[in-house]
Amino acid sequence: MEDNSRQLEFTEIDLSEDVRTTEVPIPDRSTLARAPLDKQVTNGGVLSSERRFAEEARQYVELRGEEAAFVPFMSYWPTYGVMSESQRSWYFYWRTEVRAERYPDTDLSYLFVHIYELINGIGWQDPEWGYEQLKRLWVNYRERFPQLDVYMQDWLVDYGLVHKVHMSLTEIMEITSGFLPMEISDMELHRLLTSDMSKLSLKLLSRYYEYDITLSKFYRDQGQSALERYIPQVMVVMESYLQRTRGIGLIDHLQLTKEKSIQRTLFRKAVYDDTLYGKSIDLTFIPVGESAPFCSLVTRIFRCTENKLRELLGFRGRLRGKTLDTEFAQVIERYLDKVFAAEQEELKEKPTVRIDMEKLAVLQQESDYVREALMMDELAYSDDKLALDNQLLNQHQGMQVIGEQVTSKKNEFSTSPQPEDVNVQRTTGSIDLETKEEVFTLGWEDSFIAELDDEWILFANEIAPRHVQVIYALLGDEPDRELMQVAERNCTMPALLLDEINDVAMETIGDLLIDNDRIVPDYITVFEHVKR
């Protein structure tokens, strides 16, 4: 069979304005066989098209385009060289608008030219700003050009790795419905499991299931939001439980320590001058996804969580298959029972306040009548007082000079505060009394501190003085009455104070501290040694 693969060539086409190019879809670039890029000889050396593009882009970096008419532009490998003059005029005008964070409609090929500029280091001095420009281009045009997702996810990752910018791989993954490359997913999951589990998401974790959770009827009908919310929380609870009971987290529990090294090709399918940052980058990571024990444990945790949520939401049917150890299953089920009950309590219908507009109108009329009557009395009083003041002024006009001299002497020899001074002191004293607040801090007996885990010290540092008062009340002889007093002093409700404490407890010790308005029995021994 004759091989005709090398016969494919590309022809440059100059599209005029009256040609309806928008009716011709741009083929998927990943399916095209790229023709060899031409070379240009400069000063005795060979200059590639990618490098020539980068050098030309540096010449145009400060160019601000004047307002121009849109001209269609379609090219499989768009550069300045394949643009007509009218296309260049539109491009530089459009780029000026984009740099001002305005994103007018344009053709996809124009976007790629600007993206190539940023990838090659053109248009920014701070790498963080270059990353932000790339991300904004993607976010603002991805709905108009869904095919951007195919490229921008990988190119943003490459950019972040090359320039070591602070980027959220989870954010990149959340922008699109696709997955990160497996090695990048492993890097991000390992980072979150060891340093920031609060940022875990169902989309990232779903890469490590042994089944597709999105195919279940429960997920499609009513369980998606619940699974997205609770599964990451359950992972945090499991990590906290393992730390408390075994002194190690999920990563160490499953002995995920063996590293793997690969070379990742940079900016694949882009017009990129590889003399800038190299053709590839070395990556060393823990291949979490290749660990069968990890994927098995995660799958069982998810299965247990989903079955419990099905029960709580009244959904018939349960997932079959390998089950989680009883110890871990009880931790998950107990946590979901508590947090679900607390949230359902908040969603209970509150009494509806209805305003009787007729009664309101009557009250308004009566109020206006009373106000007018008081104003009339005040006016009459003012007239009488004015007449009396005039009379007194006439009687004492001759004593004015003597009065001033007496007052001066009195002020000179008096050491007692004047009326104005008294008022100031009283006002200051009232402010001090109003703002004075007794400071409450949570502390334990010195003999017990050595037995405390760090998470309890963190909990004590995070709670507010009002929360310490609540804990004192729950440890008292009449917890209900004392709790109500604390709530009244803080102008709130007991339930809100208890919820606030549980929120702090979830972030620090990884579990609910209060259940049914009492400290959970498992933790009561910790608070028996609290100083009061």
Side-chain angles (χ1 to χ4, degrees), residues 6 10 45 78 102 157 174 192 238 325 331 360 387 444 448:
R6 296 189 179 181
F10 293 93
R102 295 184 291 269
V157 169
E174 291 293 336
L192 295 178
M238 288 299 303
D325 293 345
V331 171
L360 181 62
W444 282 271
F448 186 71

Side-chain angles (χ1 to χ4, degrees), residues 96-318:
T96 301
E97 291 292 289
V98 167
R99 286 179 173 179
E101 299 185 26
R102 295 184 291 269
Y103 302 92
D105 287 336
T106 191
D107 276 348
L108 181 60
S109 292
Y110 287 117
L111 262 74
F112 278 122
V113 174
H114 189 29
I115 291 168
Y116 297 157
E117 290 175 343
L118 296 169
I119 285 175
N120 285 278
I122 312 300
W124 53 265
Q125 293 181 344
D126 179 9
E128 296 280 352
W129 175 230
Y131 177 85
E132 187 65 24
Q133 289 185 72
L134 282 170
K135 187 173 70 174
R136 289 181 183 181
L137 271 176
W138 183 21
V139 170
N140 283 281
Y141 282 104
R142 65 182 301 266
E143 290 187 3
R144 284 174 267 185
F145 302 107
Q147 54 267 56
L148 275 177
D149 290 353
V150 178
Y151 309 100
M152 291 304 295
Q153 183 173 268
D154 278 335
W155 289 347
L156 267 183
V157 169
D158 290 341
Y159 183 98
L161 294 173
V162 165
H163 298 289
K164 297 181 172 58
V165 301
H166 177 72
M167 64 175 175
S168 170
L169 295 173
T170 300
E171 179 188 22
I172 293 175
M173 184 185 61
E174 291 293 336
I175 293 175
T176 175
S177 58
F179 290 109
L180 292 169
M182 196 64 201
E183 67 272 13
I184 305 301
S185 292
D186 284 347
M187 292 172 60
E188 179 71 351
L189 181 61
H190 187 271
R191 182 185 71 84
L192 295 178
L193 288 176
T194 54
S195 63
D196 196 4
M197 291 194 67
S198 63
K199 298 295 192 301
L200 283 173
S201 68
L202 180 64
K203 186 173 289 185
L204 177 61
L205 291 168
S206 63
R207 191 74 177 269
Y208 302 89
Y209 300 165
E210 292 178 349
Y211 70 100
D212 189 349
I213 196 172
T214 64
L215 298 179
S216 75
K217 191 173 185 300
F218 174 68
Y219 180 91
R220 295 195 307 268
D221 289 354
Q222 67 184 91
Q224 179 178 354
S225 60
L227 291 168
E228 289 177 346
R229 180 174 185 180
Y230 290 113
I231 282 182
Q233 293 181 18
V234 165
M235 293 295 293
V236 176
V237 170
M238 288 299 303
E239 174 75 11
S240 177
Y241 181 77
L242 286 171
Q243 290 284 0
R244 286 201 312 272
T245 58
R246 292 161 173 76
I248 57 176
L250 281 167
I251 294 294
D252 293 329
H253 176 68
L254 297 169
Q255 299 180 349
L256 297 177
T257 57
K258 187 176 180 180
E259 293 183 337
K260 180 179 180 179
S261 297
I262 65 168
Q263 280 194 333
R264 175 179 170 84
T265 302
L266 294 174
F267 304 114
R268 192 187 302 270
K269 300 187 179 73
V271 177
Y272 159 62
D273 178 11
D274 57 27
T275 64
L276 293 172
Y277 316 116
K279 294 181 179 180
S280 61
I281 188 171
D282 295 329
L283 294 181
T284 300
F285 60 98
I286 305 292
V288 181
E290 296 179 7
S291 170
F294 177 81
C295 293
S296 176
L297 178 61
V298 168
T299 300
R300 296 182 189 197
I301 290 174
F302 294 163
R303 194 188 304 272
C304 177
T305 303
E306 181 172 344
N307 280 336
K308 185 61 180 179
L309 290 174
R310 288 178 177 221
E311 174 191 330
L312 293 171
L313 294 174
F315 189 88
R316 293 184 178 181
R318 300 293 182 267

Side-chain angles (χ1 to χ4, degrees), residues 371-385:
R371 183 172 64 254
E372 291 175 1
L374 290 174
M375 291 177 65
M376 292 177 62
D377 290 344
E378 182 179 354
L379 181 60
Y381 169 76
S382 298
D383 292 340
D384 293 342
K385 185 175 183 297

Side-chain angles (χ1 to χ4, degrees), residues 507-523:
E507 295 177 359
T508 53
I509 66 174
D511 198 1
L512 296 177
L513 179 62
I514 298 173
D515 185 30
N516 294 326
D517 297 347
R518 295 293 185 270
I519 296 175
V520 175
D522 290 354
Y523 300 124

Side-chain angles (χ1 to χ4, degrees), residues 293-397:
F294 177 81
C295 293
S296 176
L297 178 61
V298 168
T299 300
R300 296 182 189 197
I301 290 174
F302 294 163
R303 194 188 304 272
C304 177
T305 303
E306 181 172 344
N307 280 336
K308 185 61 180 179
L309 290 174
R310 288 178 177 221
E311 174 191 330
L312 293 171
L313 294 174
F315 189 88
R316 293 184 178 181
R318 300 293 182 267
L319 296 176
R320 305 292 180 182
K322 297 179 180 178
T323 58
L324 193 62
D325 293 345
T326 303
E327 175 189 7
F328 294 155
Q330 289 177 347
V331 171
I332 293 173
E333 292 173 358
R334 176 184 162 192
Y335 165 75
L336 290 175
D337 278 333
K338 291 180 180 178
V339 72
F340 196 84
E343 291 179 359
Q344 293 303 307
E345 185 69 23
E346 293 178 2
L347 295 176
K348 284 184 177 179
E349 184 178 358
K350 297 180 180 179
T352 303
V353 177
R354 290 186 174 86
I355 299 176
D356 190 327
M357 299 306 296
E358 293 182 359
K359 290 184 178 180
L360 181 62
V362 173
L363 290 174
Q364 181 68 34
Q365 186 177 5
E366 292 176 353
S367 176
D368 292 341
Y369 174 78
V370 172
R371 183 172 64 254
E372 291 175 1
L374 290 174
M375 291 177 65
M376 292 177 62
D377 290 344
E378 182 179 354
L379 181 60
Y381 169 76
S382 298
D383 292 340
D384 293 342
K385 185 175 183 297
L386 180 60
L388 180 60
D389 288 345
N390 289 334
Q391 182 181 356
L392 292 174
L393 179 62
N394 293 331
Q395 292 177 357
H396 296 285
Q397 190 171 8

